Amino acid sequence: MPQASYEYAVGRISELSTKMLDSAQLRRIHEAPDEKSALAMLLETGYGGGISQDQLNDTEIDYVIRSQLQLSRRMVWELTPAPELTSLFFLQVDVHNIKSLLKARLLDREVPDILIEDGALPIPLLKDCINSKNYEALPEAFKRTLNKIEAELQHDIDPLKFSAQIDGAMFTHIKNVLDQQKDQSFVRKFFSLSADFQNARSVIRARLLGWDADRLKDLLLDGGEIDHSVFVESFDLPKEQLAVKFNRGSNGKIISAAVEEYVTTGNTPILKRKMETALMNVLRNVKWEMFSLGPIIGYLMGREAEAKALRVIFGAKRGGFELELPELYA
């Protein structure tokens, strides 16, 4: 990976950002009369890296989106002057691949065509580790968690628990890297906010599903500012008291407001939307920092938000229902 300077990297990212879809373009794609017309309109923007509609059938929007994300990830990998910190934003790809490979092995099936290239951990390495049950080559947090899962598989198979444990390994690894790097930048803010928000969501989900506090503990993620004990203690509180309970540290005010709105409306999806908006705001605050990772990671996450919006638009067209366009990073 070339170790580009921030000046060069941010200059290239600024150029690439001009080619991203804006809200007006998404609106026009959404308003196209049918899915085929919408796909043609999308490809005319250059999205997908020059794929032509002649190469596709009408149902391959996911292939186009995956192609664009792959191109964007590779460009970020090539440009970043701080690969170790940048790699933290690719770990969701690795977690997806680990879960897919483990599930395929447990079900004794071939891995479906859903693995995603260009994560922080190469797919061949993950395949070898999971098929051989030898995780020595993986980062410590993933190694320890997957060894624990292998031991538990001798007695029980609980896909939800294993999925939560792998998510937990990702956040533990992130915390370890940030501590080793002594990072105090927006990267730590981004992931601490994500951990705290997701822990608050886990409390609410566990309560709705009637789980006990022990099961909640399996869902709690490392790296946040709010101590795990706060979430465990909140488990049996009246829901009207949750917002006040969660108002701790620099992330507490945002999370408390989101939880209060959930309690008032009973709308659980609002918590995820509020979390996504809050995380995007962390990136917006650093998008003009020319000598930091801010613009680089902003571009990467902006492409992810763009992909999500396109999936929603084309899913709505296929299903024949109306939608509210998701928020873009801008």
Side-chain angles (χ1 to χ4, degrees):
M1 182 187 304
Q3 299 303 299
S5 69
Y6 278 111
E7 186 176 19
Y8 174 78
V10 172
R12 288 286 289 118
I13 287 295
S14 296
E15 179 186 353
L16 292 168
S17 296
T18 64
K19 300 176 182 177
M20 293 175 63
L21 302 176
D22 58 28
S23 296
Q25 288 172 308
L26 283 177
R27 177 66 60 187
R28 287 195 292 273
I29 292 168
H30 168 54
E31 292 172 351
D34 52 49
E35 187 177 348
K36 185 174 182 179
S37 300
L39 181 57
M41 196 176 295
L42 174 63
L43 295 177
E44 285 171 4
T45 70
Y47 188 91
I51 296 172
S52 71
Q53 193 157 10
D54 293 339
Q55 298 172 264
L56 302 170
N57 61 46
D58 293 344
T59 62
E60 291 187 298
I61 180 60
D62 192 58
Y63 174 77
V64 177
I65 292 171
R66 290 176 66 176
S67 295
Q68 180 60 63
L69 287 176
Q70 188 173 30
L71 287 170
S72 301
R73 292 189 190 107
R74 286 182 178 174
M75 183 59 68
V76 168
W77 272 124
E78 290 173 4
L79 289 173
T80 179
E84 192 158 15
L85 288 177
T86 303
S87 72
L88 303 181
F89 293 88
F90 288 81
L91 287 172
Q92 284 285 3
V93 171
D94 299 319
V95 164
H96 166 85
N97 290 338
I98 289 170
K99 291 178 182 180
S100 299
L101 288 164
L102 185 59
K103 181 179 179 181
R105 198 196 78 200
L106 293 176
L107 296 175
D108 194 24
R109 295 179 182 171
E110 291 294 319
V111 181
D113 185 26
I114 58 172
L115 298 183
I116 303 174
E117 298 284 350
D118 299 303
L121 301 169
I123 288 176
L125 172 65
L126 294 178
K127 285 182 176 179
D128 288 344
C129 289
I130 290 173
N131 290 334
S132 67
K133 306 179 187 180
N134 183 339
Y135 302 105
E136 290 300 314
L138 298 186
E140 180 64 29
F142 286 101
K143 179 178 73 173
R144 186 170 61 250
T145 296
L146 287 164
N147 281 331
K148 181 181 179 184
I149 288 173
E150 294 293 353
E152 292 174 352
L153 282 171
Q154 305 302 314
H155 311 289
D156 186 29
I157 297 179
D158 184 342
L160 286 176
K161 180 180 179 182
F162 296 156
S163 178
Q165 287 175 313
I166 294 167
D167 290 338
M170 179 183 76
F171 274 86
T172 300
H173 174 69
I174 289 169
K175 181 179 183 301
N176 291 342
V177 170
L178 293 176
D179 288 348
Q180 290 164 8
Q181 298 263 318
K182 296 182 171 54
D183 179 83
Q184 298 298 328
S185 71
F186 78 93
V187 179
R188 186 179 291 275
K189 174 66 176 177
F190 182 94
F191 286 111
S192 74
L193 178 60
S194 180
D196 282 339
F197 234 121
Q198 293 196 61
N199 286 341
R201 291 176 63 210
S202 291
V203 170
I204 290 166
R205 183 173 71 159
R207 289 163 60 107
L208 290 173
L209 293 174
W211 291 352
D212 57 29
D214 286 337
R215 189 159 189 182
L216 169 65
K217 291 176 184 177
D218 291 332
L219 301 178
L220 297 178
L221 305 171
D222 288 335
E225 292 187 7
I226 304 174
D227 193 88
H228 285 187
S229 63
V230 173
F231 297 109
V232 176
E233 290 165 4
S234 70
F235 188 75
D236 293 319
L237 288 177
K239 66 180 182 180
E240 292 77 15
Q241 296 180 24
L242 291 176
V244 173
K245 185 71 172 179
F246 294 155
N247 194 355
R248 311 289 178 95
S250 64
N251 299 329
K253 185 176 180 180
I254 298 172
I255 295 169
S256 177
V259 171
E260 189 168 0
E261 189 166 349
Y262 153 71
V263 171
T264 301
T265 63
N267 181 11
T268 51
I270 202 167
L271 293 170
K272 183 177 181 181
R273 292 200 298 271
K274 293 289 186 180
M275 179 180 73
E276 291 171 346
T277 297
L279 293 173
M280 281 296 184
N281 285 338
V282 173
L283 298 179
R284 289 186 181 107
N285 288 337
V286 295
K287 69 179 294 184
W288 302 115
E289 292 186 1
M290 301 303 289
F291 298 99
S292 83
L293 277 176
I296 300 169
I297 299 303
Y299 170 74
L300 176 65
M301 303 309 287
R303 281 297 197 186
E304 295 281 358
E306 178 185 69
K308 177 183 175 182
L310 287 170
R311 288 191 175 105
V312 170
I313 288 170
F314 280 87
K317 285 194 168 298
R318 196 165 294 155
F321 55 86
E322 292 299 315
L323 61 88
E324 179 182 343
L325 287 178
E327 183 178 12
L328 289 179
Y329 169 77

